[in-house]
Amino acid sequence: MKKSLLMKSLLILTPNPAHPSHHGRWPAVLEAYRAAFAAFEVEAQPWSEPLTRPYDLVLPLVAWGYHNAPDDFRRALAQIKAKGYRMHNPAEIVSWNVDKAYLRDLAEGGIRIVPTLFADTLTPETLTRARADFGQDALVLKPRISAGAKKTLVWEGADVPEWAPETDVMLQPFMPAIQSEGEWSLIFFGGDFSHAVLKTPKPGDFRSQPDYDAHLRVQTPPVAAVELAYQALEYVGQTLLYARVDMVRNAAGDFCLMELELIEPDLYLKYEDTAPARLSHAVEHALGLCGHSH
């Protein structure tokens, strides 16, 4: 019932102010969520601080910066769960999603991902092995725990670049479609598809985030993209309050999953007028306030 919503309290987790990522565009993202959740009582606090009062639902939607202190973040999640708070997405799913080694789990589950070699350390031998595995010289190097393309680069050299991640690294083939077509982000609320955004990097760049002046626009995704996204969500094994499924085409034109973002993804609410209402409805459903319409 709508009249009961203001009695329901939401807590949105925000960045740890002790880390540099406390600064940036997250306040604007938080305000977009506040607007979407206007029917609820909404508070926000850093994920690094203990929760001191009851909330009907805890949302890690703006928990940026967790990659700067992943162990601290996981401890915070465990404490939230231990104290009996309801959290969506659930703490155990969020903890799993911190480390991009989850992509290996998805691949083993039959989900087509961008081919990925995981390595404890980055060496010239690792680069050689990856190029042999992928059949091309251009590699994407990135840390397993990262966000916003931090320490991510495209590399064709034989030696390890000094600015590359040193440990717990992922190596992937560079996918040319990221520049010609772009990266597809499919957004889901309560397990249902909401909208999709196609993100094309600016000329000469490979990063698809708006922080790097990529071109973003709402697009109807191809059926194959939607099917891949649902396969990834089904692997998780439970209905998620929100999810963003990022993918790119390979040389054969098949979609490959890049990331399954379940912690603090930009859900691109401002690009789709009806998305905020759909997200709010998913929260109502999670709180047991209404039926779920498909």
Side-chain angles (χ1 to χ4, degrees):
M1 295 174 61
K2 295 295 183 182
K3 65 181 181 181
S4 68
L5 298 189
L6 282 174
M7 299 173 60
K8 296 295 183 179
S9 58
L10 310 180
L11 176 66
I12 299 177
L13 301 180
T14 60
N16 180 349
H19 288 285
S21 58
H22 182 262
H23 308 288
R25 64 184 177 91
W26 73 264
V29 175
L30 176 60
E31 287 309 306
Y33 288 128
R34 285 189 183 277
F37 301 142
F40 301 92
E41 175 193 338
V42 180
E43 294 187 13
Q45 75 169 54
W47 59 258
S48 52
E49 297 179 5
L51 277 58
T52 57
R53 55 149 290 189
Y55 296 97
D56 292 299
L57 196 59
V58 178
L59 304 168
L61 277 168
V62 196
W64 292 9
Y66 69 84
H67 62 287
N68 291 318
D71 292 338
D72 291 342
F73 183 61
R74 282 182 165 140
R75 277 192 290 270
L77 294 174
Q79 290 170 2
I80 290 171
K81 182 177 180 179
K83 290 181 179 179
Y85 288 96
R86 292 186 63 197
M87 183 171 174
H88 283 283
N89 289 322
E92 61 273 18
I93 297 296
V94 171
S95 182
W96 171 74
N97 202 227
V98 165
D99 188 329
K100 291 181 176 57
Y102 71 78
L103 290 170
R104 183 163 46 203
D105 297 336
L106 292 172
E108 291 174 352
I111 310 301
R112 186 193 303 114
I113 68 167
V114 174
T116 304
L117 173 65
F118 294 93
D120 294 332
T121 58
L122 189 58
T123 66
E125 290 75 22
T126 310
L127 296 174
T128 298
R129 177 186 166 192
R131 290 183 173 119
D133 287 351
F134 303 147
Q136 67 178 59
D137 291 335
L139 301 175
V140 176
L141 313 178
K142 64 175 72 171
R144 277 174 34 186
I145 300 179
S146 181
K150 181 180 180 181
K151 281 201 168 185
T152 298
L153 67 151
V154 177
W155 186 246
E156 296 189 42
D159 296 326
V160 176
E162 61 182 29
W163 59 89
E166 298 175 358
T167 60
D168 296 327
V169 64
M170 300 165 54
L171 301 89
Q172 298 175 323
F174 176 71
M175 311 292 273
I178 198 74
Q179 292 178 319
S180 59
E181 179 182 32
E183 172 185 339
W184 286 88
S185 286
L186 278 63
I187 315 298
F188 292 78
F189 299 138
D192 293 335
F193 174 71
S194 171
H195 59 290
V197 173
L198 181 58
K199 307 176 293 186
T200 306
K202 67 181 180 183
D205 206 337
F206 67 94
R207 296 168 297 185
S208 60
Q209 293 87 350
D211 312 68
Y212 303 108
D213 299 323
H215 177 53
L216 280 66
R217 64 275 193 200
V218 170
Q219 293 271 61
T220 300
V223 172
V226 178
E227 290 176 344
L228 178 62
Y230 272 118
Q231 290 171 11
L233 295 177
E234 287 170 6
Y235 174 87
V236 176
Q238 57 182 283
T239 299
L240 301 167
L241 176 64
Y242 60 90
R244 195 184 84 204
V245 191
D246 296 338
M247 61 188 72
V248 66
R249 295 185 199 261
N250 61 18
D254 298 319
F255 283 101
C256 299
L257 188 137
M258 297 176 67
E259 294 192 21
L260 176 60
E261 297 277 14
L262 307 179
I263 306 177
E264 37 69 288
D266 191 335
L267 299 173
Y268 305 121
L269 297 184
K270 72 176 183 178
Y271 293 89
E272 171 58 52
D273 291 343
T274 58
R278 285 198 287 270
L279 176 58
S280 180
H281 179 79
V283 170
E284 292 177 36
H285 179 70
L287 291 170
L289 297 174
C290 61
H292 197 186
S293 60
H294 291 272

